[in-house]
Amino acid sequence: MPHETSRAADAKPGTLFLVGDVFAEFAHNEGVFTVSQLARLIKNGTFPDGGAEARVSVGQGVSLFDVQFVRDTLARRGLADLVVIDDQALHTRAGREIAHKHRPENVLISQPRPVGDDWYEADLLVDGDNEVMSDHLTGQHMQGMLATEAGRQMFIAVAEQYYLAPEAVGSSYFVIDSFATRYRNFLFPLPAVVRCRVLAHRSPHRTRTTFHCELSVSQNGSETAGMDVRFTAFDTQVSHAKETKAAQRSLQDGVALATAAAAAEAANPARAEVRTS
């Protein structure tokens, strides 16, 4: 496995971590602050401690808007030069064309970067308003579906950015053939890295390319989740034609099933009466 090169590996001893307000439970740990907590400490004159220089590493749930809010708060007290906020990863969030998401807060990865032959990695970037975060948060860790969705976005982005023909980028339709996920450790709202290794890819026809990839989400050098996925990138026109036919078949089957059920109830009204009572 390639050496971990994400910002998670660059945190200096004594570095403080900034997380989104949604992770207030995790911020009970020493050296971790939510955006609102840090802004309040700055306004109260208790950060940075004793006027000493401080380094803040951005964890999960923080947006560029949040970082600017903290920087503005520091500037108003004349402390901007004393605090270094490492928000580099937030400036490299993958774009709509390769992440296949319409809203930036739903993109979970940075732009993938090559780290070896058929090996790629990206920073995990969880926005506090991400769709997966909208209705489930338990304890201090992040839900496993974030790792799964990050892996899904990662293999699409890698295929789009490094393997598909330029004319196919942004106009391909991805179909998952199999997606196996294993969870090994809790994923916390700290910096993390998503990796993708392309094990095989081939184009049996000009309208499609098949892939077999191995993915992982790692934090502080330990894997939190691993995935094995096989998928196909289709020409959009071909995939839409296949999808339309499948939708029509499904609708026909549904109508036939409903008709048969109605006929069965008509033939046995007593049974229908029991079921609806």
Side-chain angles (χ1 to χ4, degrees):
M1 180 175 288
H3 179 67
E4 183 169 307
T5 59
S6 74
R7 255 61 69 182
D10 295 337
K12 306 290 192 299
T15 293
L16 302 172
F17 290 99
L18 181 67
V19 299
D21 289 352
V22 69
F23 296 118
E25 186 71 19
F26 184 73
H28 289 158
N29 293 289
E30 185 177 356
V32 182
F33 302 100
T34 67
V35 172
S36 294
Q37 287 172 343
L38 188 59
R40 185 164 54 251
L41 291 174
I42 296 168
K43 291 176 182 178
N44 292 341
T46 54
F47 183 87
D49 187 19
E53 293 185 358
R55 181 180 179 85
V56 177
S57 183
V58 173
Q60 307 301 331
V62 181
S63 67
L64 285 171
F65 188 75
D66 292 329
V67 173
Q68 191 59 51
F69 168 60
V70 174
R71 286 198 169 114
D72 289 344
T73 306
L74 287 165
R76 282 194 294 271
R77 295 191 62 85
L79 301 171
D81 293 338
L82 288 179
V83 181
V84 175
I85 303 177
D86 182 7
D87 64 344
Q88 181 180 352
L90 293 179
H91 292 273
T92 62
R93 192 179 298 273
R96 172 173 170 172
E97 189 171 58
I98 65 171
H100 288 209
K101 286 293 182 180
H102 291 276
R103 301 179 64 87
E105 64 269 23
N106 291 331
V107 176
L108 288 170
I109 59 170
S110 68
Q111 295 177 3
R113 49 191 178 266
V115 292
D117 292 340
D118 294 317
W119 275 101
Y120 306 87
E121 70 175 26
D123 294 298
L124 180 69
L125 302 174
V126 179
D127 190 284
D129 291 326
N130 182 274
E131 58 189 342
V132 181
M133 295 280 295
S134 64
D135 197 29
H136 178 73
L137 187 64
T138 303
Q140 300 188 45
H141 70 281
M142 299 191 295
Q143 54 266 48
M145 285 306 299
L146 283 168
T148 301
E149 172 61 13
R152 189 191 71 84
Q153 292 183 20
M154 182 66 172
F155 72 68
I156 291 175
V158 166
E160 289 273 29
Q161 191 167 346
Y162 295 103
Y163 290 89
L164 297 183
E167 61 271 16
V169 175
S171 61
S172 295
Y173 193 88
F174 288 78
V175 176
I176 297 173
D177 301 308
S178 65
F179 197 150
T181 303
R182 60 186 180 276
Y183 296 102
R184 299 189 180 279
N185 294 293
F186 285 130
L187 179 63
F188 294 104
L190 295 171
V193 61
V194 185
R195 294 195 182 87
C196 175
R197 180 185 180 188
V198 179
L199 302 176
H201 66 96
R202 65 188 187 91
S203 299
H205 189 273
R206 63 178 180 81
T207 62
R208 65 182 184 275
T209 303
T210 62
F211 292 86
H212 179 199
C213 297
E214 183 180 73
L215 300 112
S216 67
V217 178
S218 298
Q219 191 167 69
N220 299 323
S222 298
E223 183 179 288
T224 64
M227 289 146 271
D228 185 274
V229 61
R230 296 176 187 269
F231 64 97
T232 302
F234 287 95
D235 175 88
T236 300
Q237 292 184 341
V238 173
S239 65
H240 284 178
K242 289 178 176 290
E243 186 178 34
T244 297
K245 290 181 180 179
Q248 291 171 347
R249 286 197 302 269
S250 181
L251 180 59
Q252 291 168 0
D253 291 343
V255 170
L257 184 61
T259 301
E265 289 184 1
N268 190 354
R271 180 180 176 185
E273 182 179 348
V274 170
R275 185 163 59 240
T276 57
S277 62

